[in-house]
């Protein structure tokens, strides 16, 4: 009872802990084998051991019940004492039978056994489950960054935040940490490490939200003969004179953002258009126009807006480690941001002009004045160059431009852009060195794999164990109050015989033919059975006269008639066939499920509810084993009681191997050693296999396990393009999209475009297919990939000519594919100069055909050969030259470059103090191969593997005038595109060209652009140049998919849809154990039924009366009553003998007085 109460307490504690903490054990990955065993198999193992121990109590209770009935003062009739056979009744039937007879001890013990076997043991396997849970921990949150001082903000607020905005708006870049479309969250951190163990961990804490709002009003528009004018209704009336359409030549629409500040990078400003008053310093004018046809017939809308900046106390939730904001809850009102915290003037200057308020040295990505959004806004109908704010307003509000006719919509679009840029600028102005330590309480939460308790099952098991405790208490109380006249444990045949042994007389008064027999009662007095007839007044109880069932002994004629002999029903061949078929069906089912699961990637999950899944996958299987165990238990007990008679059948068995065997007093599991030691191998095997039923319950409990698995749903996917380039002429889109995509990928971690890897572009296929298994996570199909294979070699050029501005330094003679020759050259005149200081320069040039005869003097410009053939042009333009230079120069003007602008004067180089260089010339070829590609539903590549040979410059993949060279030229143009920003000599590690910027980020080092370092080693830098070439080529193809031929309408390719869903899998170890145990069950069952005891008894010796009947009139009763040790050479048998009454009998007798039945 104490153990049972301990189980209840432990289970309740684990359930409480599971509810409180979200689980009992946690892991971010897979649980260790020890933990997996602890929740999958240990509960069932404990329940099995518990049931084994309780079965001993149950057996003794049932075995001793007749003796307790006989010990009652009034005794008991034959039915309620000598004829009881509870140990050999089926476990579920015994308590019902006892209830009818009011044998409460058996009711209590038998019911407990049923609750344990059919309730606790199978259900405890379903109490624990593995699931993904959300847990939450309290933690201390501290501010991790704050605004830098106002004096430093003008210099720190470079244009990098607008490049980040481009990635967010147009490239699908995720919001940076603590940035939301509504504003910027003051960064914070948690002083705990629990998030390392969590999946999708989040932090939640009180913090500040920095935001902005626009106060906009529709402008008063006048269209007079002098042009359009726009008024804010106060002190600002512009004198634009033009509509936005007229300012955007060639487009039906026009859109402008006009800020206050005047700058060389801004064409328009309010301060220069009639609104110079300082009261308008923070206003801007949003203009939109649509051409309606005719002379100056234009639909125009306009709005004046003035931003306000505020802060608000909020509760913010961010993901870890990206720090993306997922939830914001206001905790207080918005408070206008005090002056002195944020330099709004520098911010508005930057977004209005596209330039930094104070220029400073930085990489090209941080000093780009106007973010090139021309190709992006063209899809909206704007064909001209637009300011940064116009592009972002359109990108954040994808709508028809005609909607901007409503000034409210126009203002709302610019407000969204203003909010995003403000949030990104605030992020750029944050520094961990500026914080004041502020601590408050926060929470860390996230998902984690956990072992949890399934509460409904836990409650049921606790209730069942509570009932068991109640029954145990009742059994203890009831048993302690019962009288007992037993002097010895009736564990063997001789013990039972001794209880009723008597030499004096042999009463047959309990013969069924005696009319008084039904009223006869029996009592146990001082360890002896007494016959009592309470209805006969003169009768005195006869203690020792107990031929309780004399009629059960066989006569000679009955011996000859074998049909009158008994055998347990469970040992019949009919039951054997049913039992073996059941085992065979179970074995077949397990094997079939395993094969099916392996072939179909698991089995379907029965339900979305944990309770149902546990019932189907655990309870039902364990229940099979728990039903199997009582059957083996019944066979075992029957065999235990018959084993002594098997020994006696030959009439030569010593007492130690027959009459003194104590098999029936122990649970089957305890008889294994005794049986094998006595060489009763069949009995030993049956005992062992009975124990294995408990092991089978453990293995079946862990046989079927639910796991997440990417289901493969095979289907056919429509092609989007043919695997061939078929445009009449490959025309690359102008603009800086290619560089922006590469920049976002390399420096901001944004994924490459769909269908693109760092070196390969894959021909897209349709990814909109649906799966019958659920939401599609990945799509796999075979398609062709195209890559560029650059080959860079060392080259030598005239360094002095380059430094002194002689463009002829890149002349090189090349072979054309037809065998001719062509002179190729290029221009790359560097600007600036660092006087008597170590400086570095990075150069990359796309070559062109040149006329060397016209470009052979130092003063002349490069003269490109306009008469060059198409083949010569392609040969040259497919080549790039890259160089890395180090120099120390003496210049006429000390042009120390302080920013990335191109307005600095060009000095005259007076002396070259030192000069070194590394040059390389890169040629390329196109490679293609078939690939098996796996992509997500948006087309982003997850994995790929080549499934065929790679072909170089494949002619079959090009048609309609396209060729591999045309693709190479496009990639070469993009690679050299960064030279639009003039390369400068620099004495720091900031770079002015995209080429140098990408090399710096690919190498994750400044060593190749550091003027204090020597010229790069060719072998070290060339992998990065070739990597950049291949990466940009893949990006070029991804942004120009229209170069591919459209697929035919019915063209499809075989594909696989992967759906991450829960599936049921068969545990390999448990499968092996289960199959071995089922096969062993079948083998032992066959052994048992083929070696079952022969028929030789008139009735089964299950009861006291049936045992005593077998020694009726036998001299063995006299020997049993003697308190003397039997001689070791005595042998006993079951057969014919002449009884003490002088009549022939069949029963147990000592040799030489007994003759075997088979003789």
């Amino acid at each position: 009872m104490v153990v049972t109460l301990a189980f209840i307490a432990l289970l309740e504690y684990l359930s409480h802990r599971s509810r409180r903490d979200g689980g009992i054990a946690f892991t971010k990955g897979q649980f260790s084998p020890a933990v997996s065993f602890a929740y999958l198999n240990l509960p069932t193992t404990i329940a099995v051991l518990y049931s084994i121990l309780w079965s001993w109590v149950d057996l003794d209770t049932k075995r001793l019940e007749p003796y307790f009935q006989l010990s009652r003062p009034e005794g008991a009739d034959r039915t309620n004492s000598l004829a009881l056979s509870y140990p050999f009744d089926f476990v579920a039937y015994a308590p019902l039978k006892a209830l009818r007879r009011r044998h409460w001890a058996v009711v209590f013990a038998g019911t407990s056994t049923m609750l344990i076997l059919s309730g606790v043991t199978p259900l405890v396997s379903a109490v624990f489950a593995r699931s993904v849970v959300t847990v939450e921990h309290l933690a201390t949150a501290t501010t991790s960054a704050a605004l830098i001082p106002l004096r430093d903000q003008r210099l720190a607020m470079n244009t990098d935040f607008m490049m980040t905005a481009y990635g967010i708006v147009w490239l699908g870049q995720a919001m940076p940490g603590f940035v939301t479309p509504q504003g910027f969250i003051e960064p914070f951190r948690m002083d705990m490490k629990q998030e390392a163990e969590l999946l999708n961990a989040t932090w939640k804490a009180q913090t500040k939200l920095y935001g902005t709002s626009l106060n906009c009003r529709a402008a008063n528009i006048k269209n007079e003969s002098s042009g359009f004018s726009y008024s804010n209704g106060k002190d600002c009336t512009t004198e634009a004179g033009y509509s936005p359409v007229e300012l955007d030549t060639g487009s039906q629409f026009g859109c402008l953002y006009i800020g206050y500040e005047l700058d060389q990078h801004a064409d328009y400003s309010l301060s220069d258009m009639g609104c110079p008053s300082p009261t308008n310093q923070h206003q801007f004018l949003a203009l939109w126009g649509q051409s309606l046809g005719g002379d100056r017939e234009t639909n125009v809308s306009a709005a004046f807006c003035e931003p306000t900046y505020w802060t608000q106390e909020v509760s913010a939730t961010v993901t870890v480690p990206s720090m993306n904001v997922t939830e914001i809850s206001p905790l207080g009102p918005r408070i206008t941001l005090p002056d002195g915290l944020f330099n709004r003037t520098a911010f508005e200057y930057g977004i209005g002009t596209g330039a930094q308020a104070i220029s400073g040295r930085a990489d090209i990505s941080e000093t780009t004045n106007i973010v090139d959004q021309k190709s992006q806004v063209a899809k909206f109908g704007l064909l001209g160059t637009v300011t940064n704010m116009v592009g972002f307003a359109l990108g954040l509000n994808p709508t028809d431009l005609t909607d901007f006719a409503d000034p409210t919509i126009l203002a709302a679009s610019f407000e969204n852009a203003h909010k995003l840029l403000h949030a990104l600028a605030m992020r750029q102005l944050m520094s961990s060195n500026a914080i004041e330590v502020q601590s408050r309480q926060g929470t860390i939460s996230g998902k984690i794999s956990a072992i949890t308790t399934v509460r409904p099952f836990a409650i049921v098991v606790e209730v069942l164990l509570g009932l068991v405790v109640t029954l145990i208490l009742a059994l203890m109380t009831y048993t302690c109050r019962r009288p007992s006249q037993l002097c010895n444990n009736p564990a063997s045949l001789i013990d039972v015989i001794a209880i009723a042994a008597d030499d004096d007389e042999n009463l047959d008064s309990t013969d069924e033919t005696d009319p008084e027999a039904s009223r006869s009662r029996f009592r146990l007095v001082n360890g002896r059975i007494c016959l009592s007839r309470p209805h006969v007044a003169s009768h005195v109880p006869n203690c020792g006269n107990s031929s309780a069932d004399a009629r059960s002994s066989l006569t000679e004629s009955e011996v000859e008639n074998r049909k009158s002999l008994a055998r347990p029903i469970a040992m019949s061949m009919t039951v054997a066939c049913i039992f073996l078929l059941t085992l065979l069906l179970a074995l077949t089912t397990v094997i079939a499920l395993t094969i099916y699961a392996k072939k179909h990637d698991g089995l379907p999950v029965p339900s979305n509810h944990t309770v149902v899944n546990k019932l189907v996958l655990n309870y039902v299987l364990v229940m099979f084993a728990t039903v199997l165990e009582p059957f083996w238990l019944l066979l075992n007990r029957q065999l235990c009681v018959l084993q002594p008679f098997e020994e006696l059948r030959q009439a030569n068995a010593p007492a130690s191997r027959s009459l003194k065997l104590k098999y029936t007093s122990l649970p089957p599991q305890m008889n294994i050693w005794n049986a094998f030691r006595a060489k009763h191998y069949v009995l030993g095997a049956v005992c062992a296999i009975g124990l294995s039923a408990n092991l089978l319950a453990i293995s079946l409990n862990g046989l079927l396990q639910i796991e997440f698995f990417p289901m493969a749903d095979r289907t056919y996917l429509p092609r989007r393009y043919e695997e061939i380039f078929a445009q009449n002429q490959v025309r690359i889109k102008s603009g800086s999209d290619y560089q922006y995509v590469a920049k976002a990928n390399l420096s901001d971690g944004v994924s490459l475009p769909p269908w693109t890897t760092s070196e390969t572009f894959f021909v897209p296929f349709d990814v909109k297919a649906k799966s019958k298994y659920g939401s599609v996570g990945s799509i796999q199909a075979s398609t062709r990939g195209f890559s560029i294979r650059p080959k860079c070699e060392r080259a030598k050029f005239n360094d002095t000519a380059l430094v002194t501005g002689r463009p002829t330094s890149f002349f090189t003679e090349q072979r054309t594919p037809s065998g001719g020759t062509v002179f190729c050259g290029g221009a790359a005149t560097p600007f600036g100069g660092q006087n008597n200081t170590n400086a570095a320069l990075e150069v990359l040039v796309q070559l062109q055909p040149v006329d060397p005869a016209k470009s052979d003097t130092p003063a002349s410009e490069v003269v490109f050969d306009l008469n060059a053939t198409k083949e010569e042009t392609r040969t040259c333009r497919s080549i790039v030259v890259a160089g890395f230079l180090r120099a120390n120069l003496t210049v006429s003007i000390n042009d120390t470059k302080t920013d990335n602008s191109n307005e600095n004067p060009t000095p005259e180089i007076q002396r070259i103090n030192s000069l070194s260089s590394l040059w390389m010339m890169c040629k390329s070829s196109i490679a293609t191969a078939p690939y098996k590609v796996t992509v997500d539903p948006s087309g982003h590549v997850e994995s790929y593997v080549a499934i065929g040979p790679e072909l170089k410059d494949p002619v079959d993949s090009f048609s309609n005038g396209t060729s591999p060279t045309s693709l190479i030229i496009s990639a070469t143009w993009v690679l050299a595109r960064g030279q639009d920003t003039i390369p400068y000599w620099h004495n720091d590690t900031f770079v002015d060209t995209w080429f140098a910027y990408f090399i710096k980020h690919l190498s994750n080092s400044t060593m190749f652009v550091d003027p204090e370092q020597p010229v790069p080693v060719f072998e070290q830098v060339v992998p990065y140049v070739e990597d950049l070439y291949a990466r940009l080529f893949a990006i070029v193809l991804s942004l120009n998919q229209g170069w591919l031929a459209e697929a035919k309408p019915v063209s499809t390719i075989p594909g696989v849809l992967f759906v991450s869903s829960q599936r049921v899998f068969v545990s390999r170890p448990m499968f092996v154990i289960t199959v071995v145990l089922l096969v062993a069950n079948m083998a032992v069952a066959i052994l048992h039924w083929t070696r079952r005891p022969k028929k030789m008894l008139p009735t089964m010796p299950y009861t006291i009366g049936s045992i005593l009947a077998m020694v009726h009139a036998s001299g063995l009763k006299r020997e049993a009553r003697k308190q003397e040790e039997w001689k070791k050479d005595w042998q006993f048998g079951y057969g014919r003998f002449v009884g003490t009454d002088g009549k022939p009998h069949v029963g147990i007798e000592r040799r030489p007085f007994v003759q075997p039945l088979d003789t």
Side-chain angles (χ1 to χ4, degrees):
M1 185 171 68
V2 174
V3 173
T4 310
L5 289 173
F7 286 162
I8 296 175
L10 178 61
L11 192 55
E12 183 59 28
Y13 166 74
L14 293 176
S15 297
H16 169 73
R17 181 176 169 184
S18 179
R19 294 194 304 273
R20 183 194 64 190
D21 302 335
I24 301 169
F26 305 91
T27 184
K28 190 174 182 179
Q30 294 293 327
F31 284 105
S32 66
V35 175
S36 297
F37 174 81
Y39 89 92
L40 285 174
N41 305 113
L42 185 59
T44 305
T45 303
I46 294 175
V48 165
L49 295 175
Y50 178 71
S51 67
I52 291 174
L53 293 176
W54 180 253
S55 66
W56 200 340
V57 177
D58 179 60
L59 173 62
D60 277 351
T61 301
K62 294 174 178 177
R63 182 172 62 88
L64 298 177
E65 181 61 23
Y67 302 99
F68 278 109
Q69 292 294 329
L70 291 168
S71 297
R72 296 165 61 187
E74 68 275 18
D77 60 19
R78 177 180 179 276
T79 302
N80 287 296
S81 57
L82 303 183
L84 290 179
S85 59
Y86 287 131
F88 304 95
D89 292 330
F90 190 69
V91 66
Y93 176 66
L96 298 176
K97 182 178 176 181
L99 182 63
R100 288 198 302 268
R101 297 180 177 181
R102 299 190 179 185
H103 295 169
W104 301 116
V106 178
V107 172
F108 298 149
T111 304
S112 298
T113 301
M114 280 301 302
L115 292 176
I116 293 170
L117 289 180
S118 61
V120 175
T121 301
L123 282 177
V124 77
S125 64
V127 168
F128 301 98
R130 177 180 178 178
S131 59
V132 178
V133 299
T134 300
V135 296
E136 186 174 285
H137 304 285
L138 294 177
T140 300
T142 56
T143 302
S144 59
L147 283 169
I148 60 176
L150 189 69
R151 64 179 179 273
D152 300 328
Q153 291 183 15
R154 288 174 65 87
L155 183 61
M157 200 181 302
N158 56 45
T159 58
D160 185 62
F161 72 92
M162 285 186 277
M163 291 292 293
T164 303
Y166 182 91
I168 294 172
V169 174
W170 300 114
L171 304 180
Q173 178 179 344
M175 290 283 184
F178 300 105
V179 175
T180 75
Q182 292 77 35
F184 178 74
I185 298 295
E186 186 175 65
F188 59 91
R189 62 173 175 264
M190 294 290 188
D191 295 333
M192 287 186 71
K193 298 181 179 180
Q194 278 91 340
E195 70 271 8
E197 303 173 357
L198 301 177
L199 299 171
N200 304 323
T202 60
W203 291 349
K204 184 177 182 180
Q206 181 177 344
T207 185
K208 292 179 181 178
L209 170 64
Y210 294 94
T212 181
S213 301
L214 296 184
N215 181 17
C216 298
R217 65 170 60 189
N220 298 323
I221 304 173
K222 291 184 179 180
N223 185 3
E224 301 173 342
S225 58
S226 60
F228 287 91
S229 65
Y230 310 93
S231 172
N232 66 0
K234 294 182 179 180
D235 57 350
C236 177
T237 300
T238 68
E239 302 168 354
Y242 296 95
S243 74
V245 178
E246 293 174 299
L247 299 176
D248 192 359
T249 306
S251 174
Q252 181 188 358
F253 297 97
C255 195
L256 288 176
Y257 173 94
I258 302 176
Y260 177 82
E261 299 290 345
L262 176 63
D263 184 87
Q264 60 183 336
H265 303 100
D267 295 329
Y268 311 98
S269 67
L270 291 179
S271 62
D272 194 42
M273 295 172 62
C275 302
S277 172
T279 59
N280 301 316
Q281 182 180 7
H282 298 296
Q283 290 191 38
F284 69 85
L285 173 62
L287 291 176
W288 170 88
Q290 179 184 12
S291 175
L292 302 178
D295 186 21
R296 299 178 65 85
E297 293 184 8
T298 306
N299 183 18
V300 177
S301 70
F304 280 92
C305 298
E306 183 171 354
T308 58
Y309 302 91
W310 45 264
T311 182
Q312 183 180 27
E313 290 293 325
V314 297
S315 174
T317 303
V318 299
T319 60
V320 180
S322 65
M323 301 304 166
N324 294 133
V325 182
T326 60
E327 184 181 359
I328 300 176
S329 300
L331 298 177
R334 292 180 178 179
I335 301 174
T336 302
L337 200 65
D339 294 337
L341 285 183
F342 175 63
N343 193 331
R344 62 183 297 182
T345 302
F347 169 67
E348 292 165 8
Y349 182 95
I351 64 175
T353 65
Q356 192 173 358
I358 298 180
S359 297
R361 281 290 288 155
D363 284 335
I364 183 174
S365 66
E366 300 175 2
T367 55
T368 300
N369 294 328
I370 300 296
V371 180
D372 188 354
Q373 303 179 72
K374 186 175 181 179
S375 63
Q376 302 290 359
V377 301
K379 62 186 79 170
F380 292 93
L382 295 179
L383 302 182
T385 301
V386 298
T387 59
N388 292 336
M389 282 293 289
V390 170
F392 295 141
L394 290 174
L396 289 171
N397 304 274
T399 182
D400 193 306
L401 273 176
T402 57
D403 293 340
F404 280 6
D406 184 348
T408 304
I409 297 178
L410 178 67
S413 299
F414 278 95
E415 182 175 35
N416 290 335
H418 199 271
K419 286 181 176 180
L420 175 63
L421 291 174
H422 170 257
L424 293 172
M426 291 292 291
R427 170 177 173 267
Q428 191 167 301
L429 297 177
M430 289 285 164
S431 170
S432 59
N433 296 324
I435 63 172
E436 296 180 4
V437 178
Q438 299 177 6
S439 300
R440 61 273 191 194
Q441 191 176 71
T443 58
I444 296 175
S445 60
K447 296 185 180 299
I448 190 170
S449 292
I451 306 302
T452 60
T453 57
V454 183
R455 189 56 181 161
F457 287 120
I459 292 174
V460 172
V461 171
E462 288 178 19
V463 170
L464 292 176
L465 288 175
L467 292 175
V468 170
V469 169
T470 304
L471 292 170
I472 292 174
L473 183 61
L475 177 62
M476 291 173 59
T477 304
Y478 181 72
T479 303
C480 289
R481 293 180 178 179
R482 301 179 77 182
S484 175
Q485 293 293 324
L486 271 176
C487 298
N488 297 299
N489 179 16
S492 63
L493 285 175
I494 195 61
D495 294 331
V496 176
I497 294 170
I499 289 175
D502 180 54
D503 273 340
D504 301 327
E505 61 177 316
N506 203 359
L507 299 178
D508 294 332
S509 56
T510 58
D511 195 319
E512 294 177 358
T513 60
D514 187 347
E516 302 291 337
S518 61
R519 290 182 291 175
S520 297
R521 300 185 69 83
F522 300 88
R523 290 179 57 196
L524 189 65
V525 180
N526 296 325
R528 291 290 183 269
I529 296 177
C530 304
L531 177 62
S532 173
R533 290 183 178 177
H535 58 283
V536 180
S538 61
H539 181 76
V540 178
N542 185 356
C543 296
N545 306 331
S546 58
S547 180
D549 199 359
R551 184 66 185 86
S552 295
S553 62
L554 293 180
T555 64
E556 288 292 333
S557 60
E558 289 173 329
V559 171
E560 301 300 326
N561 184 8
R562 289 286 177 172
K563 291 183 179 181
S564 65
L565 301 180
R567 172 180 282 158
I569 296 176
M571 291 188 178
S572 67
M573 295 306 296
T574 301
V575 173
C577 292
I578 295 174
F579 185 65
L580 284 171
L581 285 175
T582 301
L583 291 176
L584 182 60
L585 179 62
L587 179 62
T588 304
T589 302
V590 170
I591 295 175
L593 286 176
T594 304
I595 295 174
Y596 183 90
K598 186 176 182 180
K599 184 177 180 181
H600 295 86
D601 297 325
L603 306 169
V605 176
S607 171
N608 293 326
H609 299 285
T610 303
V611 173
V612 176
N613 291 335
K614 283 293 182 180
L615 282 173
V616 175
L617 303 180
N618 297 100
Y619 180 80
V620 172
L621 298 182
V622 176
M623 194 63 191
F624 170 77
T626 56
V627 170
L628 194 65
E629 181 187 8
F631 184 77
W632 277 117
L633 185 65
L634 179 61
L635 290 179
N636 190 285
R637 287 178 177 171
Q638 291 176 349
L639 198 56
C640 283
V641 78
L642 292 176
Q643 187 62 49
F645 293 92
E646 275 291 287
E647 294 291 334
L648 293 169
R649 185 166 55 86
Q650 300 299 327
N652 59 356
S656 61
R657 292 179 54 84
S658 55
L659 298 179
K660 292 185 178 181
L661 288 175
K662 297 184 178 182
Y663 289 144
T664 57
S665 64
L666 295 173
Q669 299 86 351
M670 307 295 181
N671 281 324
I672 298 175
W673 171 248
N674 294 333
F676 282 113
R677 187 175 59 179
K679 298 183 180 181
H680 297 154
Y681 299 118
V682 175
L683 176 60
V686 173
C687 291
I689 213 65
L691 178 62
S692 77
N694 299 308
L695 301 178
L696 184 61
I698 297 172
S699 67
L700 287 176
N701 175 55
L703 181 64
L704 300 179
Q705 300 177 8
I706 297 178
E707 297 178 7
F708 280 96
F709 185 80
M711 283 294 299
D713 185 5
R714 302 190 179 279
T715 184
Y716 285 90
L717 304 172
R719 288 181 180 271
R720 288 175 55 189
Y721 301 100
E722 298 293 337
E723 297 174 346
I724 186 171
F725 292 91
Q727 294 298 313
N728 290 332
Q729 187 175 3
V730 171
R731 294 182 180 275
I732 191 165
K733 299 176 184 177
S734 61
S736 301
D737 286 1
Y738 312 105
Q739 286 77 19
Y740 293 167
V741 169
K743 183 264 177 189
N745 173 249
L746 290 176
S747 62
D748 300 328
V750 179
S751 300
L752 286 168
W755 309 103
T756 308
T757 68
S758 60
E759 61 177 0
T760 307
F761 168 75
F762 301 100
V763 177
F765 47 81
D766 193 281
V767 292
K768 298 178 181 179
K770 305 295 182 182
S771 173
K772 59 186 177 182
Y773 296 115
S775 178
V776 176
S778 302
I779 305 97
Q780 185 183 85
S782 297
T783 188
R784 186 160 290 276
F786 291 89
S787 308
I788 197 169
R789 295 288 183 258
K791 180 64 177 177
C792 298
E793 298 179 347
R794 289 177 182 269
K796 265 189 172 290
F797 294 103
N798 190 332
D799 297 341
T800 303
L802 173 71
V803 172
T804 56
R806 294 178 60 187
T808 55
S809 59
F810 293 120
F811 284 177
T812 177
E813 185 177 357
Q814 297 293 322
R815 288 275 184 186
T816 63
S818 63
T821 59
V822 60
F823 284 94
C824 303
T829 303
F831 279 70
Q834 307 294 333
N835 194 35
N836 296 323
T837 303
N838 292 336
L841 181 71
E842 298 79 38
V843 179
L844 189 136
V845 178
Q846 181 184 28
L847 301 185
Q848 301 277 3
V850 297
D851 186 348
K854 298 180 181 181
S855 303
D856 57 353
T857 62
S860 65
E861 296 290 336
V862 173
V863 179
F864 295 111
D865 189 352
L866 302 179
N867 297 319
T869 64
K870 190 174 184 179
E871 181 186 45
E872 292 173 340
T873 301
R874 287 187 170 183
T875 299
C876 291
R877 293 184 65 193
S878 63
I879 301 172
V880 292
V881 171
F884 298 84
L885 290 84
R886 302 288 187 268
N888 187 298
L889 308 174
T890 299
V891 297
S892 59
I893 303 174
N894 187 14
D895 181 21
T896 301
K897 188 165 172 53
T898 59
D899 58 28
N900 286 43
S901 63
N902 299 331
E903 285 73 32
N904 291 19
T906 303
E908 179 183 348
I909 296 175
Q910 297 178 339
R911 184 173 67 252
I912 300 175
N913 301 318
S914 64
L915 180 62
S916 59
S917 64
L918 168 68
W919 293 98
M920 63 185 72
M921 183 182 298
C922 302
K923 302 177 183 179
S924 305
S925 61
I926 299 297
T928 181
Y931 289 86
K932 181 177 289 185
V933 183
T934 303
V935 298
D936 65 16
S938 63
H940 289 92
V941 180
E942 295 180 345
S943 64
Y944 61 99
V945 60
I947 56 175
E950 183 176 276
L951 303 177
K952 295 291 183 68
D953 294 332
V955 178
D956 293 342
S957 296
F958 298 85
S959 65
N960 293 343
T962 61
S963 67
T965 305
S966 60
L967 296 186
I968 295 173
I969 291 172
S970 298
T972 303
W973 181 84
V974 170
L975 185 63
R977 177 71 171 79
Q979 299 308 111
D980 282 0
T981 305
I982 299 172
Y984 269 81
W985 289 100
H986 56 89
N987 63 352
D988 50 29
T989 57
F990 295 117
V991 293
D992 306 276
T993 64
W994 284 115
F995 167 66
Y997 177 85
F998 292 141
I999 293 298
K1000 180 178 174 181
H1001 279 272
L1002 280 171
S1003 63
N1004 195 27
S1005 169
T1006 60
M1007 99 175 158
F1008 298 131
V1009 297
D1010 189 346
E1012 300 301 327
Q1013 297 291 329
V1015 170
V1017 177
F1018 175 80
E1019 290 75 14
Q1020 291 179 347
V1021 72
V1022 72
Y1024 299 112
V1025 176
E1026 294 178 347
D1027 182 343
L1028 175 60
Y1029 207 158
R1031 189 180 298 264
L1032 288 175
F1033 175 79
I1035 293 173
V1036 167
L1037 294 188
S1038 72
L1039 299 184
N1040 293 276
Q1041 296 179 17
W1043 293 349
L1044 292 164
E1046 293 287 340
K1048 298 177 182 178
V1050 295
S1051 179
T1052 61
I1053 57 175
V1056 180
L1057 308 178
F1058 291 105
V1059 180
S1060 182
S1061 62
Q1062 286 187 320
R1063 300 285 288 177
V1064 178
F1065 290 91
V1066 179
S1067 169
R1068 181 68 178 175
M1070 294 305 168
F1071 167 75
V1072 173
I1073 294 173
T1074 300
V1075 169
V1076 169
L1077 290 177
L1078 287 175
V1079 171
N1081 271 259
M1082 295 177 66
V1084 173
I1086 293 172
L1087 176 66
H1088 170 266
W1089 268 285
T1090 55
R1091 300 285 300 276
R1092 59 182 176 167
K1094 294 182 179 180
K1095 287 184 178 182
M1096 65 178 191
L1097 301 176
T1099 185
M1100 297 306 300
Y1102 295 161
T1103 66
I1104 298 174
S1106 61
I1107 294 175
L1108 295 181
M1110 295 179 186
V1111 294
H1112 174 59
S1114 169
L1116 187 61
K1117 294 173 63 178
R1118 184 186 307 113
E1119 302 294 342
R1121 189 171 182 180
K1122 293 179 180 179
Q1123 301 297 321
E1124 300 176 1
E1125 187 69 23
W1126 287 358
K1127 295 181 179 180
K1128 293 184 179 181
D1129 59 349
W1130 281 6
Q1131 293 181 338
F1132 302 87
Y1134 181 86
R1136 303 179 184 89
F1137 65 90
V1138 177
T1140 55
D1141 57 0
K1143 299 177 182 180
H1145 292 274
V1146 175
I1148 304 173
E1149 181 59 280
R1150 181 167 63 88
R1151 293 197 67 169
F1153 309 110
V1154 65
Q1155 182 180 9
L1157 294 177
D1158 295 336
T1159 59

